[in-house]
């Protein structure tokens, strides 16, 4: 009788250790994913904060380019209103389109390209774009690790029981997946 009680207690202790270790591991990964997402948001916010300065600089040179300036303002507000990864993906796509429109305007105004403050803003924006790509990659790597842990046995049982669901990747828009068209003109 004492031997069977000892075995039962031993099994319970082993299961508690497995459960506790798996739970703590899931909790750590969950927090890592949240922290990395905050870094992505931080860089997206940085880019959105550069837009008013770019807009004001462009206004000084190209006052009749209201459509482009409106696109930039709308794109920026998309980040302010984003609540989910999907919202951020949509806002990011709008921002990319607005920046593409801005680049077309810049090409039409050589004196704008030569403006030192505009040049500095463009360098800042380029650096921010690189930071966004890096933070986005890091986020997606953590999500991958987290999702693998959620799906693996025996943590899949524990994660389902404790409410650890799979996380969303920060994806690329369909437009960004398309290869750019190059036309050298004839």
């Amino acid at each position: 009788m004492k031997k069977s009680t000892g075995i039962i207690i031993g099994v319970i202790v082993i299961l508690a250790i497995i459960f506790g270790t798996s739970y703590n591991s899931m909790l750590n990964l969950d927090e890592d994913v949240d922290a990395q997402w905050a870094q992505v948001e931080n860089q997206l916010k940085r880019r959105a904060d550069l837009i008013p300065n770019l807009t004001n600089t462009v206004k000084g040179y190209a006052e009749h380019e209201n459509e482009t300036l409106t696109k930039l303002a709308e794109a920026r507000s998309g980040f302010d209103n984003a609540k989910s990864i999907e919202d951020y993906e949509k806002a990011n796509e709008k921002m990319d389109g607005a920046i593409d429109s801005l680049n077309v305007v810049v090409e039409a105004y050589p004196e704008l390209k030569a403006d030192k403050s505009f040049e500095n803003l463009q360098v800042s924006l380029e650096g921010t774009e690189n930071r966004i790509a890096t933070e986005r990659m890091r986020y997606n790597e953590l999500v991958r690790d987290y999702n693998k842990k959620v799906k693996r046995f025996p943590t899949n049982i524990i994660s389902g029981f404790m409410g650890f669901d799979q996380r969303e990747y920060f994806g690329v828009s369909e437009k960004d997946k398309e290869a750019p068209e190059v036309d050298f003109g004839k």
Side-chain angles (χ1 to χ4, degrees), residues 32-176:
D32 290 347
V33 169
D34 287 343
Q36 188 57 49
W37 177 248
Q39 283 304 107
V40 172
E41 286 181 314
N42 182 30
Q43 294 306 320
L44 292 172
K45 174 85 170 103
R46 176 183 160 87
R47 178 172 68 172
D49 289 346
L50 287 171
I51 298 305
N53 294 330
L54 279 169
T55 303
N56 290 335
T57 305
V58 171
K59 274 183 189 176
Y61 286 92
E63 294 210 11
H64 62 283
E65 299 291 348
N66 288 331
E67 182 181 341
T68 299
L69 301 177
T70 301
K71 279 183 184 178
L72 285 167
E74 287 172 358
R76 184 178 189 281
S77 72
F79 285 106
D80 294 338
N81 298 324
K83 303 280 187 258
S84 68
I85 292 175
E86 187 178 319
D87 292 343
Y88 276 102
E89 286 173 343
K90 288 177 184 174
N92 193 51
E93 190 174 335
K94 278 187 178 179
M95 183 66 75
D96 289 344
I99 290 172
D100 287 346
S101 296
L102 176 66
N103 288 334
V104 170
V105 169
V106 170
E107 290 301 318
Y109 295 91
E111 65 277 6
L112 175 59
K113 283 197 307 190
D115 181 271
K116 204 62 170 159
S117 63
F118 185 77
E119 186 180 317
N120 291 339
L121 287 168
Q122 277 196 306
V123 168
S124 293
L125 186 61
E126 183 179 327
T128 300
E129 294 293 338
N130 291 334
R131 287 185 190 105
I132 290 170
T134 299
E135 298 302 341
R136 192 170 155 171
M137 177 194 67
R138 289 177 182 161
Y139 170 78
N140 284 338
E141 287 172 351
L142 278 172
V143 167
R144 179 198 61 218
D145 294 345
Y146 174 86
N147 286 345
K148 285 194 306 191
K149 187 89 168 174
V150 166
K151 292 177 183 178
R152 268 192 215 129
F153 181 82
T155 51
N156 62 344
I157 296 167
I158 296 163
S159 64
F161 179 67
M162 298 306 291
F164 290 105
D165 297 321
Q166 289 188 54
R167 302 290 287 266
E168 257 185 88
Y169 289 98
F170 190 170
V172 176
S173 71
E174 291 303 315
K175 179 184 172 243
D176 288 341

